[in-house]
Amino acid sequence: MRRGSVAQLVAIGIVCGGGAALVAILIPWLPDPASRQAGRIDFVFWFVTVICIAIFALVAAVIIYSVLKFRAQPGEDMDGPPIHGNTGLEIVWTAVPAALVTAISIVSAIVLAKNDHIPKASAAGDPLHPLVVEVTAQQFAWSFKYTGFGDLTSATLKLPLNKPVKLRITSLDVNHSFWVPEFGQKQDAVPGSWNNLVITPDKNGTYPVICTELCGLGHALMRSRAEVMPAQKFLSWAKGQQKKLGGPAGSSGKAVFTANGCDSCHTFTPAGANKKIGPDLDNLRQEAQRAGQPLEQFIRTSIVDPNAYVEPGFTKGLMPTSFSSLPKAQLDALVSYLAGGAKK
Ligand code: CUA
């Protein structure tokens, strides 16, 4: 091969590889990682992407060069020269991909093992090392239970910064799947089994929690939030929440309302809630009249047995049925809070 031809081949390769690199870099394919695990996954992603771009540039250069250089000229109808393979080339194009695939599997295996591993605590007796959160999925809501904090429940996933968190994920009905794009991992929620996921958030912020397994009518609405905050702030939230929700007399209806995520579907002005997925709770009086029930009884039934009466215009089965297991003190507080706030 002449020197000029090699230069042409290399030039085409640089243009193709450069173009592919720009597509990889300039388009934000993945969100910025917000956990150690996502950072490692990002590394594997780029490791594979760089290899792919190099191979793409090589193959594209050879194809384009051949199409331009060796195509049949007008009027030329001879057969091409007979070629019987090239042992050297065949060894190279077998050995190089084998080495690359081996390298990718070793890097991936290391990252998978590291991502499942909870490192030893630096200080003994740290209540946040690891923090265990039970994640329960159901049509169509998430709930999060902090077993180390008196089974405190929350409708949003609050997490301390830079602490390894062990999520134990299950489902009450059908298969769902837990996903926070910024944490880089997905884990199935399967009824009757507990699947684990380790997350070490390393960036403060609020990220979406998404159900990523088609689970029924409300699948697209099955969302919550993950809030990452400094460890101290997390501890004071957990302790404050325990106080608000604990004790028969101390239960605050508003705390029960937000802890159970009522505000992620309903409008209720006294709680500052403004969502329209479920019926407007500012109009509970009219709704109770339509259902032909006394106000407080109507509210209680609608929480513990939501399919008994469904407000016209809304779909049966969208409201989770699991609130029937709310402790009685919390349920009472919630009912009187809603009844007190319903407009006359
Ligand atoms: Cu739950 Cu999709």
Side-chain angles (χ1 to χ4, degrees):
M1 217 169 169
R2 281 178 297 111
R3 252 173 105 191
S5 319
V6 175
Q8 280 172 351
L9 199 55
V10 170
I12 300 172
I14 288 174
V15 170
C16 294
L22 287 180
V23 170
I25 294 166
L26 294 183
I27 299 178
W29 297 100
L30 294 176
D32 282 342
S35 75
R36 304 240 169 98
Q37 291 76 13
R40 294 186 195 117
I41 291 169
D42 241 38
F43 172 78
V44 178
F45 178 79
W46 282 110
F47 184 74
V48 175
T49 303
V50 167
I51 292 174
C52 289
I53 289 174
I55 292 176
F56 169 76
L58 178 70
V59 172
V62 171
I63 290 177
I64 293 173
Y65 180 84
S66 307
V67 166
L68 295 177
K69 207 77 177 178
F70 303 122
R71 68 175 160 204
Q73 298 304 315
E76 183 183 320
D77 55 1
M78 289 186 312
D79 285 340
I83 293 174
H84 288 281
N86 182 318
T87 311
L89 257 185
E90 281 168 26
I91 290 173
V92 169
W93 77 45
T94 307
V96 171
L100 290 177
V101 170
T102 309
I104 291 172
S105 27
I106 291 172
V107 170
S108 306
I110 293 173
V111 165
L112 278 174
K114 278 196 160 187
N115 277 1
D116 278 345
H117 177 71
I118 298 179
K120 278 218 170 69
S122 47
D126 183 349
L128 298 180
H129 195 114
L131 175 68
V132 177
V133 185
E134 287 184 4
V135 179
T136 304
Q138 60 179 305
Q139 292 169 316
F140 297 97
W142 297 99
S143 71
F144 306 97
K145 189 197 268 183
Y146 297 83
T147 48
F149 293 86
D151 283 354
L152 172 66
T153 57
S154 171
T156 55
L157 178 58
K158 309 258 205 266
L159 297 174
L161 185 69
N162 289 328
K163 299 282 181 185
V165 179
K166 185 176 169 190
L167 300 183
R168 301 188 64 232
I169 303 172
T170 193
S171 164
L172 296 179
D173 37 45
V174 299
N175 288 1
H176 305 267
S177 186
F178 175 91
W179 184 38
V180 174
E182 286 80 358
F183 294 162
Q185 300 148 291
K186 291 180 179 177
Q187 182 60 276
D188 284 347
V190 180
S193 83
W194 291 94
N195 293 337
N196 292 334
L197 188 62
V198 177
I199 295 174
T200 314
D202 59 4
K203 212 186 269 174
N204 286 323
T206 300
Y207 311 103
V209 172
I210 297 172
C211 177
T212 177
E213 177 91 48
L214 184 60
C215 56
L217 207 56
H219 163 68
L221 306 174
M222 191 169 161
R223 301 266 173 131
S224 179
R225 293 188 309 276
E227 288 169 36
V228 179
M229 58 191 81
Q232 273 314 315
K233 199 173 163 202
F234 172 85
L235 280 173
S236 59
W237 166 80
K239 296 205 172 115
Q241 234 12 49
Q242 265 179 295
K243 215 177 273 169
K244 268 195 241 168
L245 296 174
S251 288
S252 136
K254 189 175 179 191
V256 179
F257 186 85
T258 38
N260 289 286
C262 309
D263 55 347
S264 54
C265 288
H266 292 284
T267 291
F268 190 56
T269 312
N274 57 7
K275 294 287 160 55
K276 307 228 179 294
I277 294 166
D280 186 333
L281 303 182
D282 286 338
N283 302 327
L284 277 168
R285 260 167 221 283
Q286 294 89 309
E287 287 156 12
Q289 267 168 15
R290 270 196 285 278
Q293 294 173 30
L295 180 63
E296 297 229 345
Q297 183 198 320
F298 170 71
I299 296 173
R300 186 174 298 264
T301 311
S302 300
I303 295 169
V304 299
D305 186 10
N307 294 322
Y309 169 84
V310 178
E311 175 71 5
F314 293 91
T315 309
K316 201 173 180 161
L318 262 188
M319 162 97 171
T321 54
S322 61
F323 300 118
S324 55
S325 66
L326 271 180
K328 187 167 179 310
Q330 293 188 23
L331 182 60
D332 291 345
L334 182 57
V335 170
S336 46
Y337 175 63
L338 288 170
K343 284 188 195 134
K344 303 270 149 33

